Amino acid sequence: TLPADAGIEYQVTAAETATRQADILCTCTTSPTPVFRGDWLKPGVHINAIGAYQPTTREIDDETVQRARIFMEIRESVMAEAGDLLIPLRAGIISESEIVADLPALTSGAAPGRTANDEITLFKSTGHALEDLTAAKMAFKLAVT
């Protein structure tokens, strides 16, 4: 349970309400179909799409992908298995050039991240162990210092 003064509200009764109010959305399901609608997104929301990991499944709908500035984890893996992007790419909803950058380019500064406060951003992940290892290393370093 979070302390009362944490400033985080976490109880909702409907997906639409939660989506319309969220500053950050994380999709972490095994749903084969989108779990919210793109027209529910408010300006400035950031989406971490980490659940769908097969070329034929998706948690994110076409409108979300069209409205968002798109970033991805590792290009090779996302382009091989992430239905959230592969399905709209194959349908011609978006083009590969609309994917701004992968995580190495983003974190190295080779590509800019968010460029405006009202911009909708989408990060598509397929789950690389390298990120888990990096997070564990940082946590360990903080714990022993």
Side-chain angles (χ1 to χ4, degrees):
T1 311
L2 293 170
D5 63 351
I8 299 172
E9 190 174 322
Y10 58 91
Q11 289 186 337
V12 294
T13 57
E16 182 176 356
T17 301
T19 302
R20 288 187 184 279
Q21 294 177 358
D23 295 317
I24 299 171
L25 286 168
C26 296
T27 57
C28 315
T29 77
T30 56
S31 175
T33 58
V35 295
F36 63 85
R37 293 179 21 186
D39 64 340
W40 295 347
L41 299 170
K42 72 178 188 176
V45 68
H46 173 74
I47 305 149
N48 289 316
I50 65 172
Y53 58 90
Q54 297 175 357
T56 58
T57 64
R58 63 192 300 197
E59 297 178 297
I60 307 300
D61 71 352
D62 290 341
E63 185 166 349
T64 298
V65 173
Q66 287 177 307
R67 293 181 67 195
R69 184 170 166 86
I70 305 168
F71 301 91
M72 66 173 96
E73 188 172 36
I74 305 295
R75 182 170 292 276
E76 292 77 16
S77 62
V78 170
M79 298 310 283
E81 60 190 64
D84 281 323
L85 297 182
L86 292 175
I87 293 169
L89 280 166
R90 289 180 186 140
I93 304 298
I94 60 167
S95 66
E96 204 168 327
S97 66
E98 293 174 84
I99 299 170
V100 177
D102 64 6
L103 194 57
L106 184 63
T107 57
S108 71
R114 181 181 295 270
T115 58
N117 289 337
D118 63 348
E119 186 172 64
I120 295 170
T121 53
L122 167 64
F123 177 71
K124 178 60 194 166
S125 174
T126 53
H128 271 265
L130 177 60
E131 294 164 11
D132 297 335
L133 179 61
T134 301
K137 181 179 175 182
M138 291 173 66
F140 179 77
K141 187 175 182 178
L142 288 170
V144 297
T145 56

